[in-house]
Amino acid sequence: MNVGFVGLGAMGRGMAANLVRAGHAVQVWNRSPGPVAELVALGASEADGLETVFANDVVISILSDDAAVESVLLDPRLLEGAAATVHVNMATVSVELADRAAALHAEHGVGYLSAPVMGRSEVAAAGKLNIVAAGDGALIDHVEPLFAAMGQRTWRMGDTPHQANLVKIAGNFLIACAIESVAEACALAESRGIRSTGLVDLLTNTIFPGVIYSGYGSMVAERRYEPAGFRLSLGLKDVSLALSAGAGSNVPLPFGSVLRDSFVDAIAHGDADLDWAAVAEVIRRRAGLAAGNS
C-alpha cells in the first residue's frame, strides 16, 4: 500500500518503521529533518512537501496536539488537491478538533478516520500498540493491514471519528488518576518511614496488579522520570482534553480539576519535560517530603 506518513516524533518513528518493515511503500514528512533521514535509511522515501504526501492512497499522521494538526494538516488548499482515499489521524486530539477535521475532509472528498493509539514509544517500536479507531467501517477495513503492522489489535469504537478520540482521552484520564493515587499513597507511606518501593511491590502483586500500577508505581517509588516515555506537558494536555470533553457533555470530572492543578504545579517547578509520573513530586513537596524515602 502507498502510504504518506506525517510526524516522526517518539511514537511516529517506530510506527513508520514498522510499516516499512511490513513491505508498504512509505513516504515520510516531518518538520525537522533528522528523523526523516533515519526512516529513509530503513527504506522509506522522503516527501518534498505535504502535497506529495497527500498524493498517496493513505495518509497517516501523528502530531503532538490540536494546534499542530490544525496548522499542518487542516488546510483547505491541501485537501482540495489531495488524491488520498483517506487520512488517518492517530494523534490524541480534542473531540472538537476531530469534528472540524472530519467535516473539512468530507467537504473535499477525502475520507477521515480517528485512530489514536495506546502504548508508549517502546510499544510503538515493537509494533504492539492498541489502536482505537472510529469512522466509516469500510475505510477502517481498507487500512486494517496498516494497523496490523503497527499494532496488536484494532478496537473499533463507532462510526463517528471523535468517538475514538473520546475513548483515548478517557483512557489517559484514568492513567493520570492512577499516577496521582499511587503518588499520594507513596507519600503517605514515606511520611511514616515506610519505603515506597516496598509498598508498590506489595500492592502491585496483590490488590492492584497490572502494567499501569506496576509500571508507573515503580517510577513514582524510585523517582525515576527520565527518559520520558510521555512528557508531563503532554499529560497536562490530555487532562485538559478530558475536562473540555466533560464540559461539552455536561459531565463533571471533579478529580480532573485536581489533576490539572497538580500538572500545572509540576510544570511551574520545571518538570515539563520529565515523564508525567513526575507529577508525584508535587505531592511530596506539599507533604514536606522533598528528600523522599523510596
Side-chain angles (χ1 to χ4, degrees):
M1 197 174 292
N2 293 323
V3 183
F5 199 103
V6 178
L8 299 174
M11 297 293 290
R13 286 196 298 273
M15 294 162 67
N18 284 322
L19 291 174
V20 172
R21 294 187 187 104
H24 299 287
V26 181
Q27 193 172 51
V28 295
W29 185 92
N30 195 63
R31 284 180 288 189
S32 56
V36 172
E38 179 183 329
L39 265 296
V40 169
L42 291 176
S45 61
E46 180 179 359
D48 58 11
L50 289 170
E51 294 80 6
T52 306
V53 170
F54 274 81
N56 288 279
D57 177 41
V58 177
V59 175
I60 293 176
S61 65
I62 180 161
L63 300 174
S64 58
D65 54 24
D66 281 27
V69 173
E70 190 97 53
S71 65
V72 174
L73 297 173
L74 297 192
D75 181 349
R77 292 168 299 178
L78 175 65
L79 295 175
E80 183 177 344
T85 302
V86 59
H87 170 203
V88 185
N89 185 356
M90 305 190 78
T92 302
V93 297
S94 69
V95 168
E96 293 77 13
L97 187 283
D99 285 341
R100 290 201 307 277
L104 184 63
H105 282 70
E107 182 182 335
H108 292 90
V110 180
Y112 180 83
L113 296 174
S114 287
V117 299
M118 291 185 171
R120 290 159 70 99
S121 57
E122 63 272 18
V123 179
K128 298 296 184 182
L129 292 166
N130 280 283
I131 298 171
V132 183
D136 184 285
L139 290 178
I140 297 177
D141 290 341
H142 181 60
V143 300
E144 180 57 41
L146 305 177
F147 289 165
M150 295 183 287
Q152 59 181 321
R153 179 170 176 179
T154 301
W155 301 79
R156 300 192 183 206
M157 288 295 162
D159 297 326
T160 304
H162 79 233
Q163 291 173 307
N165 297 108
L166 190 59
V167 168
K168 176 60 189 301
I169 289 166
N172 278 12
F173 177 69
L174 278 173
I175 296 173
C177 289
I179 294 171
E180 175 75 12
S181 63
V182 166
E184 293 181 16
C186 286
L188 180 62
E190 291 168 11
S191 72
R192 296 302 179 106
I194 300 168
R195 296 184 66 83
S196 52
T197 49
L199 173 70
V200 168
D201 187 34
L202 166 68
L203 296 179
T204 57
N205 281 285
T206 53
I207 58 176
F208 289 112
V211 295
I212 296 300
Y213 281 104
S214 62
Y216 285 111
S218 64
M219 292 172 71
V220 169
E222 298 166 16
R223 308 179 83 167
R224 175 170 43 83
Y225 309 127
E226 295 181 287
F230 188 72
R231 290 186 292 112
L232 198 146
S233 58
L234 294 177
L236 174 60
K237 179 207 77 171
D238 285 358
V239 169
S240 299
L241 288 178
L243 287 166
S244 176
S249 300
N250 296 318
V251 177
L253 299 174
F255 200 57
S257 297
V258 173
L259 288 169
R260 178 188 57 205
D261 288 350
S262 290
F263 277 94
V264 169
D265 188 326
I267 291 171
H269 281 82
D271 294 340
D273 291 327
L274 298 180
D275 193 276
W276 66 333
V279 74
E281 296 306 307
V282 173
I283 305 304
R284 287 188 170 110
R285 282 193 297 269
R286 292 173 181 169
L289 297 168
N293 182 26
S294 60

